Amino acid sequence: MRALVIDRTAPGGLRLTDVPDPLPGPDEVLVRVAATSLNHGELPLTGSAAAEEGAVPGWDAAGTVERPAASGAGPAAGARVVTWGWSGGWAELRAVRVDELAVLPDKVDFVRAAALPVAGLTALRALRRAAVAPGHRVAVTGASGGVGHFAVQLARLQGAEVVAVVGDPARGAGLTELGAGQVVSDPADIAAPVDVLLDQVGGPLLARLLERMADDGTVISIGAASGLDTPLAPYRLVEKRLTLIGIQAGGRTGADLEHLARLVAEDRLRVSASRVADWRSAGELAEDVVARRVRGKAVLTLS
């Protein structure tokens, strides 16, 4: 089969080549991939990808079940599915556990489905971990990215008032339409204290945002895109009685993927796939993702 493999000498650190087909385990289905997405944290050029040269990365993928699980579990051949996994998504075929996928509603196409897993799951589980409820004020950093777009919408669906925090005002375009009540690039402009902070940036921005937290607030750390240290005054955490939690998406994702896909089918959750390209352009698109030139999600279709 054809697949994108890590080759740090190639554009974007990715090369399209032939690799052996995956061998599904007894509780795995074999999926013919139609679309996959690129996430900043899995790209070779971010320096955070731990996979070796020649490995097939890819967390998100959507396609059609080509061979059902030998155990009889999971969907039958021909089912349209969205899948999650720590590798193997950037290939024509993917072996995936039956509890790491969801059957797609007819209204959800492969492009939108491929954008859902990591970004949607991260946003959903962060809000759940913070126990976001109607009336809460929720701030989301990196709100112009894939996780941010989903977090803004899901927090609003849960009845929260949302503050979208972006690197510059231009990147805030469209966030009000997604549900943000306020879009800021400077924490000092946040109108009132926030109960929950979903942070993807870290660094000095996180330190400044801690000053905008309400007493007994919750901070969910889901990334550190700035790559900078966060200067903390520990006793301020005590004074405000803040709770800091770090989370990572993944593991038994099937039910949550089904929930997200249903929200998309019901037009309650919008998938912002602002860049869609053939996977032969993966290197160029990967470079744009690393350089933060993509709003929302970047999706590759398999030709």
Side-chain angles (χ1 to χ4, degrees):
M1 69 174 181
R2 301 283 280 172
L4 289 168
V5 303
I6 292 180
D7 179 354
R8 291 180 174 84
T9 67
L14 297 170
R15 176 169 52 89
L16 187 60
T17 187
D18 291 310
V19 300
D21 291 356
L23 298 175
D27 287 319
E28 292 183 327
V29 299
L30 190 65
V31 175
R32 174 71 60 177
V33 176
T36 185
S37 73
L38 301 179
N39 296 284
H40 190 272
E42 65 186 331
L43 294 172
L45 294 187
T46 64
S48 59
E52 299 178 353
E53 294 283 311
V56 180
W59 296 338
D60 306 337
T64 305
V65 174
E66 183 149 309
R67 188 190 310 162
S71 66
R80 300 169 63 254
V81 295
V82 56
T83 71
W84 176 89
W86 284 121
S87 63
W90 298 347
E92 291 177 316
L93 295 170
R94 180 183 213 182
V96 59
R97 286 178 52 89
V98 296
D99 59 355
E100 304 287 13
L101 59 79
V103 175
L104 291 172
D106 292 340
K107 290 181 62 176
V108 181
D109 58 83
F110 288 136
V111 168
R112 288 186 296 165
L116 279 176
V118 166
L121 290 168
T122 299
L124 178 67
R125 292 182 170 188
L127 292 166
R128 182 185 296 155
R129 185 67 178 83
V132 170
H136 279 162
R137 283 175 53 82
V138 177
V140 179
T141 67
S144 63
V147 176
H149 276 202
F150 287 127
V152 167
Q153 295 178 81
L154 292 171
R156 190 71 192 95
L157 283 174
Q158 291 176 224
E161 180 182 347
V162 184
V163 179
V165 184
V166 294
D168 63 75
R171 293 187 64 84
L175 289 172
T176 300
E177 289 75 11
L178 293 182
Q182 186 181 12
V183 181
V184 304
S185 54
D186 186 341
D189 294 332
I190 296 177
V194 298
D195 304 291
V196 174
L197 170 63
L198 269 59
D199 178 55
Q200 305 180 76
V201 178
L205 176 64
L206 174 56
R208 294 187 64 197
L209 284 165
L210 291 179
E211 295 298 322
R212 304 301 300 152
M213 296 293 298
D215 290 349
D216 299 303
T218 300
V219 180
I220 306 291
S221 175
I222 55 181
S226 70
L228 302 174
D229 291 335
T230 301
L232 289 178
Y235 201 73
R236 289 294 287 150
L237 305 181
V238 176
E239 291 176 328
K240 287 179 170 284
R241 302 181 300 279
L242 299 181
T243 300
L244 276 68
I245 302 169
I247 71 162
Q248 187 178 62
R252 301 188 181 277
T253 59
D256 286 341
L257 285 173
E258 182 180 1
H259 173 66
L260 291 168
R262 184 168 59 250
L263 290 177
V264 174
E266 294 171 352
D267 296 322
R268 300 173 64 199
L269 183 66
R270 187 189 309 176
V271 178
S272 303
S274 62
R275 292 283 297 279
V276 180
D278 185 275
W279 71 334
R280 290 172 292 187
S281 303
E284 176 185 345
L285 188 53
E287 291 175 342
D288 287 342
V289 172
V290 172
R292 306 290 184 185
R293 291 192 287 264
V294 177
R295 294 178 186 171
K297 291 291 294 180
V299 176
L300 297 172
T301 58
L302 276 63
S303 55

